[in-house]
Amino acid sequence: MRPSRAFAAVAGTALVTGSLVAAPTAAADTTNFTDSSTDAKPAYNIERVKMNNGHRIFVKASMEKIRKDRGGLSVYFDTRGPDRGPEFVVHAGLSDGSDWQGLSIENWNGDDTKMLKCSIRLAINYRQDTARYSIARKCFNRPSRIRVAARASTKPGNTDWAPKLHRFYDWVRH
């Protein structure tokens, strides 16, 4: 594989000048949010949510205990603001071998859903009790700001919302 012309030009300049100066990069906003540790039962209690609105959109939920045999995590995304509800949701089972999906939605109940056809990845770390979504920006029409809410559950009635039921954390800018 041949290096690109731009790389060759920079490398050549570095050889001549004796130094290589890194070009400035656009930094995405990353924000860490915390959730109450007393608002849910220990299994799947969401403790922290980390959001990065960069080249890809990353959301990492840290929970008190992820079990390999049950439970799920949904992350709701608001990209518009004024309509008071999410425009997108990503659902995943957290048990071994579970699948995940992304949907465009029009309200918290998921009415009028449409499957997203774009790159969404899920990584579960059972040792660190974290689940991390990585989503292509084009899935959400490349928003300049996003706010999230997360819901972990093991069964109906055993659910934890972060920050609270049908509420979002603050906006995270691109």
Side-chain angles (χ1 to χ4, degrees):
M1 187 163 136
R2 291 179 25 165
S4 70
R5 290 181 189 180
F7 175 78
V10 170
T13 303
L15 289 173
V16 172
T17 63
S19 66
L20 181 62
V21 178
T25 59
D29 197 358
T30 299
T31 306
N32 292 295
F33 302 104
T34 58
D35 187 49
S36 172
S37 61
T38 60
D39 64 347
K41 294 182 181 181
Y44 294 94
N45 180 38
I46 299 171
E47 297 175 328
R48 287 177 307 284
V49 176
K50 181 178 184 176
M51 165 82 185
N52 178 290
N53 187 3
H55 176 67
R56 288 185 68 86
I57 298 162
F58 294 100
V59 178
K60 179 176 156 183
S62 300
M63 290 170 266
E64 192 169 330
K65 180 67 180 159
I66 295 178
R67 295 188 47 178
K68 291 183 180 183
D69 62 344
R70 65 175 178 238
L73 175 69
S74 298
V75 178
Y76 296 84
F77 298 87
D78 184 14
T79 59
R80 291 192 303 237
D83 64 354
R84 301 180 57 136
E87 287 77 45
F88 305 98
V89 62
V90 180
H91 298 292
L94 296 177
S95 56
D96 252 347
S98 290
D99 203 0
W100 62 92
Q101 66 180 353
L103 303 167
S104 65
I105 59 176
E106 286 301 321
N107 60 44
W108 288 102
N109 297 323
D111 295 341
D112 302 320
T113 61
K114 228 190 308 186
M115 185 82 73
L116 295 175
K117 295 179 182 174
C118 54
S119 174
I120 299 173
R121 299 181 196 133
L122 172 66
I124 301 171
N125 186 322
Y126 294 105
R127 288 185 181 192
Q128 294 180 359
D129 294 313
T130 61
R132 180 176 176 253
Y133 287 113
S134 169
I135 304 156
R137 290 191 64 71
K138 72 177 184 176
C139 286
F140 300 161
N141 304 317
R142 295 175 175 82
S144 62
R145 63 185 189 154
I146 300 173
R147 58 186 182 164
V148 298
R151 180 179 54 98
S153 62
T154 56
K155 59 183 176 181
N158 189 9
T159 300
D160 184 24
W161 281 88
K164 292 182 179 180
L165 176 67
H166 297 173
R167 299 287 184 260
F168 291 103
Y169 285 111
D170 288 333
W171 292 102
V172 179
R173 299 212 175 271
H174 176 60

